[in-house]
Amino acid sequence: YWLGDMYENGYGVNKDISKALALFNESAAQGVVEAEARLGELYLSGEETVQNFTEARRWLQKSANRGNARAQRLLGHMNEYGLGGEKDAIRAYAWYQLAILGGDGLAAHLRDQLLDTLSPEQIDEAQTYAEQLSKEVADTPAQLQDENQRTVPE
């Protein structure tokens, strides 16, 4: 993963997005949570590669399910705006809420903006779904930290 980051940003090497994507893919295929999140982010933005909401959602979902707060926030964004699927404010709220619990400060702002558009019944439903989702997500800070420390295998 870190080698991919170096190639993506040109840290100590010539910037090479193709090589970075290949390294992120290799790391993600081996279960590196940060690589999954970064791939999802790149496919979502389309800045460094071709924008592909299906691939973005696939990689962000994997990372979010394993407790990555940034991926959870981005998945909330995709659900809120219907990127790569239908608009779903309830799911968006739930993913934002999990991202907040994981320490993503921006998610709090996005969730609060979304709350202004929801009825009291929808808020209740969203909170219930967020509680259910949090039970399904394997999410411990120590586990996530360990995954973030992994490097690309030799």
Side-chain angles (χ1 to χ4, degrees):
Y1 168 76
W2 294 114
L3 189 56
D5 186 59
M6 290 173 68
Y7 276 102
E8 179 187 5
N9 295 294
Y11 298 141
V13 296
N14 290 329
K15 188 173 180 173
D16 186 335
I17 300 305
S18 296
K19 191 165 193 114
L21 284 169
L23 289 164
F24 289 149
N25 268 297
E26 183 180 329
S27 295
Q30 294 175 12
V32 178
V33 175
E34 243 344 279
E36 294 168 347
R38 189 65 189 129
L39 275 174
E41 193 169 26
L42 289 170
Y43 284 121
L44 177 60
S45 72
E47 290 177 24
E48 306 283 348
T49 188
V50 175
Q51 190 172 50
N52 184 330
F53 293 141
T54 302
E55 281 297 295
R57 185 176 286 270
R58 179 171 78 93
W59 287 113
L60 290 172
Q61 187 74 58
K62 284 182 177 215
S63 188
N65 285 346
R66 295 179 57 211
N68 184 284
R70 186 174 82 249
Q72 291 168 342
R73 172 178 39 87
L74 292 171
L75 201 52
H77 175 78
M78 291 188 78
N79 278 285
E80 182 176 1
Y81 293 99
L83 305 175
E86 291 188 32
K87 282 186 179 185
D88 189 333
I90 304 304
R91 285 187 186 279
Y93 175 96
W95 283 115
Y96 287 149
Q97 187 64 31
L98 262 65
I100 293 164
L101 296 174
D104 190 301
L106 180 55
H109 173 71
L110 297 172
R111 185 216 45 207
D112 291 347
Q113 282 185 321
L114 179 61
L115 277 173
D116 291 339
T117 69
L118 300 177
S119 70
E121 294 79 19
Q122 288 174 311
I123 293 170
D124 287 343
E125 183 182 350
Q127 289 172 339
T128 300
Y129 183 67
E131 289 170 14
Q132 173 192 340
L133 188 59
S134 70
K135 292 175 186 171
E136 296 172 9
V137 172
D139 177 19
T140 62
Q143 176 187 4
L144 186 56
Q145 174 126 6
D146 289 346
E147 290 292 336
N148 286 338
Q149 299 303 319
R150 290 179 59 186
T151 57
V152 175
E154 298 175 30

